């Protein structure tokens, strides 16, 4: 398998994931409008081929409720201004609508003196508005059988392209590298999609995190001492916020995945409108380094129904219980995203866990040059690579900092997975895995790609 960088979201979301012809066909339903478009004359001897057009039904917010566009096969009789008179057959077909208005959409081109310049027939396009509450898709489907009509379609509503107003977004080079804005034009994320951050705790009172916190946070470790840790004594509680500000890892990771976006504060995140569940698996004291009971926390997150579980931690110890936990969480419907590690090692030979388990999305790190960093672990076990060098994100208390590591790359992919889940809510963990991996960029030249 290739070593891949998480592809710019412009490819994943605006091209391959949501706009490819194959995916459009997959969305076809009985409500889809289908019609044939005649070929266009290219020159005196050639025409372009006929095309079959499919218009899948979209959410009603994207089209006007009582209006349609039609293109007639010949010009309609003009009334005063842009008003036009329908042919008898079209009048008959629309009599149940209680018509309000029929107007030429481009009245200038309905003038016979401009016929020679109207090569696309826009002078024959009319907007019909009506009173009765009949879905435009149904109206169009019926009118497509009318001999006087070339096509009929809803009047679609479009929205301005999204650009967050977060003042520090210019410091987040990785959003530009990944063309996150193109993805946000497709989806800002579903608030019902939740990312569990299994980490050192989260300062959920941070102004750029508080609004995206979901219920269910938990502390598996508590305010323990080094002696407590040595004796496996834990002080669980329901508050996943670390007491010590030196414990900032989980807060930084959370911002990478799910900082509140478009709130005029701080930074943006890929999974803008999704929610996170903070699960603390470290001591409050940041000087006591370690993630404890992480696999228990993974099952806890899966039981809460977390769609994505991020684990920006790992080590060399293989745990069959840990592997079983991850397999179980996957069977329960959670996508487990993990960091590959920061030793610059080929983990095909020097294994790290949970990076090397099955059923995880294992993430390596790249720099602003779109190449794997020197510190990132690599190997065939690494699923994808994402920005992990100089990542500007949230830090407690109420501040921000730039950090580096696969710990940062992993939650960026977790945020991406949440966005995929938002658009494809019925995708299984494996489908999300393959959707991300198959639309990723290769960050290794052939001569540097690890070999067995």
């Amino acid at each position: 398998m290739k070593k891949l960088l998480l592809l710019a979201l412009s490819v994943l979301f605006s091209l391959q994931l949501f706009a490819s012809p194959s995916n459009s066909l997959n969305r076809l339903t009985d409500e889809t409008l289908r019609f044939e478009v005649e070929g266009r004359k290219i020159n005196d001897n050639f025409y372009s081929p006929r095309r079959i057009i499919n218009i899948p039904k979209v959410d009603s917010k994207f089209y006007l409720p009582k209006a349609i566009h039609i293109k007639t096969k010949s010009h309609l009789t003009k009334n005063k201004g842009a008003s036009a008179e329908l042919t008898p057959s079209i009048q008959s077909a629309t009599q149940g609508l209680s018509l309000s208005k029929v107007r030429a959409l481009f009245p200038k081109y309905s003038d016979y003196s401009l016929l020679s310049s109207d090569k696309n027939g826009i002078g024959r396009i009319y907007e019909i508005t009506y009173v009765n509450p009949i879905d435009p898709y149904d109206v169009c489907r019926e009118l497509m059988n009318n001999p006087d009509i070339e096509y009929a379609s809803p009047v679609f509503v479009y929205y301005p392209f999204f650009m967050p107003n977060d003042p520090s977004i210019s410091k987040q080079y990785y959003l530009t590298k990944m063309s996150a804005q193109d993805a946000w034009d497709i989806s800002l994320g579903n608030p019902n999609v939740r990312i569990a951050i299994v980490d050192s705790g989260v300062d959920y009172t941070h102004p750029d995190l508080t609004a995206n916190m979901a219920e269910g946070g938990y502390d598996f470790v508590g305010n323990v001492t080094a002696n407590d840790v040595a004796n496996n004594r834990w002080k669980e509680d329901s508050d996943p916020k670390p007491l010590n500000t030196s414990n900032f890892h989980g807060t930084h990771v959370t911002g990478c995945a799910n900082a509140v976006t478009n709130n005029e504060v701080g930074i943006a995140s890929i999974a803008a409108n999704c929610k996170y569940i903070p699960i603390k698996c470290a001591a409050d004291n940041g000087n006591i380094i370690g993630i404890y009971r992480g696999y228990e926390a993974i099952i806890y997150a899966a039981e809460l129904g977390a769609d994505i579980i991020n684990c920006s931690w790992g080590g060399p110890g293989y745990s069959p219980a840990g592997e079983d936990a991850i397999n179980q969480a996957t069977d329960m419907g959670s996508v487990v995203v993990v960091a590959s590690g920061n030793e610059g090692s080929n983990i095909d030979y020097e294994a790290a866990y949970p990076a090397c388990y099955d059923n995880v999305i294992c993430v390596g790190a790249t720099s602003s040059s779109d190449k794997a960093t020197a510190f990132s672990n690599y190997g065939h076990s690494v699923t994808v690579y994402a920005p992990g060098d100089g990542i500007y994100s949230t830090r407690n208390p109420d501040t921000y900092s730039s950090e580096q590591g696969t710990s940062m790359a992993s939650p960026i992919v977790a945020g991406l997975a949440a966005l995929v889940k938002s658009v494809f809510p019925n995708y299984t963990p494996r489908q999300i895995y393959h959707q991300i991996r198959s639309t990723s960029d290769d960050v290794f030249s052939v001569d540097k790609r690890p070999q067995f």
Side-chain angles (χ1 to χ4, degrees), residues 338-343 347 352 355 362-365 376-378 382 385 406 410:
V338 306
S340 69
N342 301 333
E343 292 75 38
I347 57 175
C362 178
V363 185
S376 177
N377 284 351
Y378 61 95
V382 180
Y385 290 75
T406 57
S410 179

Side-chain angles (χ1 to χ4, degrees), residues 38-50:
E38 296 285 345
R40 295 177 63 246
K41 188 174 183 180
I42 299 174
N43 55 43
D44 290 340
N45 298 314
F46 296 99
Y47 283 79
S48 63
R50 295 182 179 184

Side-chain angles (χ1 to χ4, degrees), residues 313-389:
W313 43 268
Y318 168 79
S319 166
E323 186 168 40
D324 285 343
I326 287 175
N327 291 340
Q328 176 67 19
T330 303
D331 289 341
M332 294 168 70
S334 299
V335 178
V336 181
V337 184
V338 306
S340 69
N342 301 333
E343 292 75 38
S345 300
N346 184 339
I347 57 175
D348 297 333
Y349 299 99
E350 300 176 52
Y353 300 97
C356 290
Y357 292 136
D358 292 333
N359 290 320
V360 299
I361 296 179
C362 178
V363 185
T366 60
S367 67
S368 58
S369 66
D370 284 347
K371 296 298 180 183
T373 64
F375 64 76
S376 177
N377 284 351
Y378 61 95
H380 294 272
S381 298
V382 180
T383 312
V384 290
Y385 290 75
D389 186 26

Side-chain angles (χ1 to χ4, degrees), residues 305-318:
D307 300 282
I308 317 297
I309 301 173
N310 184 77
C311 304
S312 289
W313 43 268
Y318 168 79

